[in-house]
Amino acid sequence: MAKRKRRRKSSSFYNRGQLHVSNLIGVLLALCLIVAVSMKLYVTQHNVVDDSVATEASNDAQHQEFIKTIGPYAQQMQRQYGILPSITMAQAILESDWGQSTLSKKFNNYYGIKGDSDSNSRYFKTQEFVNGRWVTVSARFRVYSSWQESMRDHSLLLVNGTNWNSQQYQAVINAADYKQAAQALYDAQYATDPDYPSKLINLIQKYGLNNYDK
C-alpha cells in the first residue's frame, strides 16, 4: 500500500506540473495577444497621423496654387477699380471655398453674387443669418463664363453699388487697409454673417494676402 500511495502522490505532482505549464502558456499567449493588439493600435494611430499630415500638406499646396492663380488678376482689378487685392482674394476664397463649391466649379461664381433673371442665373440653397439665427433660403445666383468674369463683376459691384444705392460699397473702396475694408463690407450688408469681417481678416493674415496690396 505504501508503494501505491507513492505512485498516487507522484501522479498528483505530475498533474500539478502540467497545470502550471498550461497556466504559464495561457499567460504568455495573453501577453502576446496584448502586445499584438497594442502594436496594431500604434500602427493604426500613426497611419492616421501620417494620412492627416499628408492631407494637410495637399490642401496647403492647393491653397497656395489657388492664391497664385487669382492673385495677379486681383491686382489688375486694383489698378482698374481700386479694390484691395487682399479683399478681392479673401472674398473669393471664403465665398467659393477655394474654388471648390458647386457654384464656383460649375458656374464660375466666386463671390456669391446674386442674379437678376432666370436667363443668367441658377437657384441654389444658401445660409443666411436672420434675426439672430441661421436659416436656409433658396436664392438666384449669377452664372459666369470664367472666374475672371466673376472677379470683374465683383469689382464693378463694389464700384457701382446696387440698383437701389450706387454708394453702397463706397466705404470699402475708400478703406485705408484690409481691416477697414472687411468691416465696411459687412456694414454695407454684402453678407449677413456677423463673423464675416473676422473671417476675411484671418484669411488675409494667415496667407499673407496683404502682400498683394499696393
Side-chain angles (χ1 to χ4, degrees):
M1 293 182 66
K3 289 182 179 180
R4 284 198 295 273
K5 286 181 180 179
R6 282 197 295 273
R7 282 198 295 271
R8 285 198 294 271
K9 184 176 180 181
S10 176
S11 176
S12 175
F13 177 79
Y14 178 75
N15 290 337
R16 287 199 300 272
Q18 280 187 318
L19 181 62
H20 177 72
V21 172
S22 297
N23 289 340
L24 181 60
I25 292 174
V27 170
L28 290 174
L29 288 174
L31 288 174
C32 289
L33 180 61
I34 291 171
V35 170
V37 171
S38 298
M39 288 298 295
K40 184 176 181 179
L41 289 174
Y42 176 84
V43 171
T44 300
Q45 289 174 347
H46 277 70
N47 284 340
V48 169
V49 171
D50 290 343
D51 289 344
S52 176
V53 171
T55 300
E56 184 177 348
S58 176
N59 288 339
D60 186 62
Q62 291 176 357
H63 294 171
Q64 293 299 332
E65 184 63 27
F66 186 81
I67 290 170
K68 290 179 181 178
T69 299
I70 68 173
Y73 200 75
Q75 289 179 315
Q76 182 178 329
M77 293 299 96
Q78 181 189 32
R79 290 191 293 270
Q80 290 183 264
Y81 303 108
I83 314 298
L84 288 173
S86 58
I87 288 294
T88 301
M89 296 166 72
Q91 282 194 276
I93 292 169
L94 183 60
E95 297 283 353
S96 75
D97 189 22
W98 296 95
Q100 297 303 305
S101 70
T102 301
L103 184 61
S104 60
K105 290 181 74 172
K106 292 186 66 175
F107 303 111
N108 296 302
N109 189 332
Y110 276 26
Y111 295 93
I113 294 178
K114 303 289 178 61
D116 52 17
S117 70
D118 290 337
S119 62
N120 66 1
S121 311
R122 294 292 185 277
Y123 279 94
F124 280 88
K125 291 189 180 298
T126 185
Q127 292 282 305
E128 301 283 355
F129 195 77
V130 181
N131 296 326
R133 66 188 183 93
W134 288 101
V135 296
T136 301
V137 299
S138 182
R140 190 164 51 193
F141 291 91
R142 284 288 304 271
V143 172
Y144 298 99
S145 60
S146 67
W147 64 264
Q148 290 93 335
E149 184 184 3
S150 171
M151 186 176 287
R152 180 178 295 275
D153 198 34
H154 166 263
S155 297
L156 290 172
L157 172 64
L158 298 186
V159 170
N160 298 326
T162 58
N163 293 334
W164 56 90
N165 182 2
S166 63
Q167 300 297 307
Q168 186 163 345
Y169 300 109
Q170 196 60 43
V172 179
I173 299 172
N174 295 335
D177 54 42
Y178 64 86
K179 293 180 181 179
Q180 288 185 13
Q183 185 61 48
L185 280 166
Y186 177 72
D187 294 341
Q189 300 180 337
Y190 187 98
T192 59
D193 183 357
D195 295 325
Y196 196 75
S198 63
K199 289 177 179 178
L200 293 179
I201 292 170
N202 288 340
L203 282 170
I204 291 170
Q205 293 178 342
K206 180 177 180 179
Y207 294 98
L209 303 182
N210 55 307
N211 291 327
Y212 286 83
D213 296 343
K214 292 182 178 179

